[in-house]
Amino acid sequence: MAQQPSVPDILNAQEWFRYEVSYGFFTLGWVEVFMMPDTLYQGQMHHHLVTRMISNERLPLIGYERDEFHSFFRLNQDGLPVTSLFWKDNWDEEKPKEIVYSFDRERGLVYYKEEDDTEGELDLFEPATAGHVVFVYSRLFAGSQSQTQLPVFVSKKLGFLDFNHSGSTEQREYEAFDAAVTTLKTTGTTIDIAGPFGFSGRFDAFFLNDELRVPLEARVKMFLGSAVVKLVEYRRTPSITPN
């Protein structure tokens, strides 16, 4: 089994991801994940993670939705990603920074503005994040045969993601690769969290059994049944052939 990656390992790969989100026979939409150039925020250099979600407007009950989630994050003394600023741009409704969470570590507070225009503050809980930095965090432990917990601030409160990182492997096929690849499975549960597309509760995730633990698939609970988020396109620089 390949060695666990570090955050610098992941960032240096310069990856771009495209996922398809399906629910039964229906395609709900697509998700793109990529890094922007590092940026200076509050006097410190930060990494900039972007997740772009576009709905399948052919589905009449969904219509056109385009949201972008941004995180400025840096590494703490343990090498874990911690968020300094998170925001959501709701572009289909022309509402930039519809949601904002900023983290003040000197005062030990998290300040938020939610989409209903309410504002407030919460006590900071480390290693603090406000959402999709989990995309980086979960890769650090995939296949490690350990249990971890990540605190997440969302919907005006603190919640948690509990992970159980299995060391077992399984061959699975993905559109992004020409042949079946060896995967590692992580299971988990959300506590006091409602995520994109309304998922909550138990989830399963699959990662490539390589030196970067590429996120391949997630299966998440929804109101009725489960949604599947599956990798359909993947680019890496420099190019490395997966196992």
Side-chain angles (χ1 to χ4, degrees):
M1 185 180 297
Q3 183 178 350
Q4 301 298 136
S6 66
V7 175
D9 292 334
I10 292 170
L11 298 179
N12 289 339
Q14 302 177 46
E15 299 164 299
W16 178 87
F17 306 80
R18 181 176 172 85
Y19 297 87
E20 182 180 87
V21 184
S22 60
Y23 180 71
F25 297 105
F26 300 101
T27 298
L28 299 182
W30 299 267
V31 177
E32 297 176 4
V33 184
F34 53 94
M35 297 295 302
M36 295 287 287
D38 291 353
T39 186
L40 186 66
Y41 176 69
Q42 294 184 339
Q44 291 183 306
M45 292 303 298
H46 283 74
H47 308 297
H48 184 181
L49 177 66
V50 181
T51 300
R52 177 180 296 143
M53 304 177 68
I54 302 174
S55 68
N56 182 4
E57 59 184 315
R58 295 182 179 179
L59 295 180
L61 296 180
I62 294 181
Y64 177 68
E65 296 278 348
R66 178 176 175 145
D67 297 328
E68 288 186 359
F69 302 86
H70 296 256
S71 283
F72 289 169
F73 72 92
R74 58 183 179 83
L75 304 187
N76 66 12
Q77 61 185 7
D78 297 319
L80 298 177
V82 291
T83 304
S84 295
L85 179 68
F86 166 86
W87 76 93
K88 171 193 171 185
D89 293 327
N90 182 349
W91 291 122
D92 57 283
E93 297 185 22
E94 299 182 352
K95 295 179 179 179
K97 293 194 173 178
E98 181 181 46
I99 297 174
V100 180
Y101 281 74
S102 61
F103 297 76
D104 186 337
R105 288 183 167 79
E106 290 187 1
R107 296 186 177 183
L109 294 172
V110 180
Y111 303 98
Y112 66 81
K113 179 183 80 73
E114 273 288 346
E115 52 193 343
D116 59 3
D117 291 326
T118 58
E119 298 183 14
E121 61 184 46
L122 300 164
D123 291 332
L124 188 79
F125 192 96
E126 295 285 14
T129 181
H132 69 319
V133 166
V134 64
F135 187 83
V136 177
Y137 174 89
S138 59
R139 302 171 67 173
L140 305 179
F141 302 97
S144 64
Q145 303 183 59
S146 65
Q147 295 183 342
T148 62
Q149 184 179 76
L150 181 66
V152 178
F153 289 90
V154 62
S155 302
K156 311 176 195 178
K157 61 183 180 180
L158 171 64
F160 295 90
L161 291 170
D162 284 348
F163 299 92
N164 183 10
H165 308 281
S166 169
S168 61
T169 61
E170 177 183 343
Q171 293 292 114
R172 298 176 70 86
E173 295 184 355
Y174 294 93
E175 186 177 336
F177 303 122
D178 294 332
V181 295
T182 306
T183 69
L184 297 162
K185 185 177 181 179
T186 292
T187 59
T189 304
T190 63
I191 303 173
D192 295 329
I193 294 176
F197 298 101
F199 86 84
S200 61
R202 178 183 165 81
F203 61 87
D204 298 325
F206 294 89
F207 300 84
L208 190 63
N209 183 22
D210 74 343
E211 72 284 353
L212 292 180
R213 301 295 197 262
V214 175
L216 300 172
E217 180 180 350
R219 295 176 175 268
V220 297
K221 294 292 185 181
M222 295 184 66
F223 303 115
L224 297 171
S226 299
V228 178
V229 183
K230 187 173 289 189
L231 186 67
V232 293
E233 293 183 58
Y234 175 66
R235 295 197 295 267
R236 183 193 303 183
T237 305
S239 178
I240 299 176
T241 302
N243 295 329

